[in-house]
Amino acid sequence: MKEDELLIHIDFSENYNCKQHSEIQSCHFGASHSQVTLHTGVAYTSDEKAHPFCTVTDYRKHDPHAIMVHLEIALKKFSVKMPSIKHLVFVSDAPATQYRNKQMFYYMATEFFKLKYESVNWNFLEAAHGKGAADGIGGVLKRTADRKVAQGMNIVNAKDFIDAVKDVQVDVIYIDNEEFTVEKATAAQWNGVKIPGTMKIHQASSLSQ
């Protein structure tokens, strides 16, 4: 990797089921728990340092529009810490409903360049590729949250979750639901064209020029 490159391995962690220290039986065994979405990742720079992060929200959808919001918020923080980064390399799994589809290809050709990056390279892993660093971050955060609940803390939403895991050495970022509403309204104005053979694509690249 070069000094102006950033490699980011990302994945959705399984939603966290909110919990309270003392719950009545119907709540504990029922389907009344709210959930928190965790989009986890590890960013790597040329100095071989790893930067674990997780965006957290009460918004439940994992579609391309939501993914772009998760990435934009995280990248804005990275741009402050790493202003020299010009080229992005993503590694993710390849579900058609999330990362590998026409909407994400559109974002690759437009939105990342609005954030002043010069190129985007996306690598899609094969099915059943196993666990990676991003998965480990979700596990650590959820175990920490469960431990805090056992100690008497109530976690009923994303802000409570962040408060519970604030001591973990992971950059945890809150995203308000309003951010997703704005992005979805913007995306609704675009009518994309399907790319033949999308499910056979394992790498996609986009350049600013």
Side-chain angles (χ1 to χ4, degrees):
M1 292 179 62
K2 298 179 181 178
E3 292 183 356
D4 60 354
E5 291 179 328
L6 185 68
L7 187 151
I8 308 176
H9 187 179
I10 54 174
D11 197 6
F12 276 104
S13 180
E14 185 177 345
N15 285 1
Y16 179 77
N17 287 314
C18 294
K19 304 176 180 70
Q20 298 185 55
H21 180 64
S22 297
E23 296 178 335
I24 61 174
Q25 186 179 35
S26 60
C27 179
H28 181 77
F29 291 103
S32 56
H33 288 103
S34 57
Q35 294 185 348
V36 172
T37 296
L38 310 177
H39 190 248
T40 58
V42 181
Y44 300 92
T45 52
S46 60
D47 58 7
E48 298 184 359
K49 289 184 178 179
H51 305 269
F53 67 95
C54 178
T55 44
V56 181
T57 181
D58 293 307
Y59 189 78
R60 298 274 295 278
K61 290 188 177 180
H62 295 182
D63 58 20
H65 314 308
I67 290 171
M68 195 61 220
V69 174
H70 283 281
L71 292 178
E72 282 181 333
I73 298 296
L75 288 172
K76 285 177 181 177
K77 294 206 68 173
F78 284 133
S79 66
V80 174
K81 297 179 179 179
M82 312 169 194
S84 63
I85 298 298
K86 299 298 181 184
H87 306 283
L88 298 175
V89 179
F90 289 100
V91 177
S92 73
D93 53 6
T97 56
Q98 295 179 7
Y99 300 115
R100 185 166 58 178
N101 51 62
K102 63 178 182 180
Q103 287 90 352
M104 287 308 302
F105 295 152
Y106 166 74
Y107 285 135
M108 285 182 62
T110 57
E111 299 305 304
F112 291 104
F113 303 121
K114 295 179 183 178
L115 298 174
K116 308 303 181 183
Y117 295 104
E118 296 178 3
S119 71
V120 182
N121 181 286
W122 205 299
N123 300 273
F124 303 102
L125 299 175
E126 292 283 358
H129 64 278
K131 298 295 182 181
D135 301 283
I137 293 171
V140 169
L141 293 176
K142 286 187 281 191
R143 285 194 299 271
T144 301
D146 285 342
R147 186 170 65 251
K148 290 297 182 68
V149 171
Q151 294 171 353
M153 185 175 185
N154 294 328
I155 300 178
V156 298
N157 54 37
K159 288 185 176 180
D160 287 343
F161 182 89
I162 291 177
D163 189 46
V165 301
K166 61 184 179 182
D167 295 330
V168 179
Q169 297 301 306
V170 175
D171 192 0
V172 184
I173 309 163
Y174 173 74
I175 305 180
D176 189 88
N177 283 2
E178 182 64 26
E179 298 284 348
F180 298 94
T181 303
V182 173
E183 175 61 36
K184 192 171 184 178
T186 302
Q189 302 173 12
W190 173 74
N191 292 317
V193 177
K194 292 183 178 180
I195 299 178
T198 292
M199 296 310 296
K200 296 181 180 179
I201 294 175
H202 294 289
Q203 185 181 69
S205 298
S206 183
L207 303 175
S208 58
Q209 295 181 348

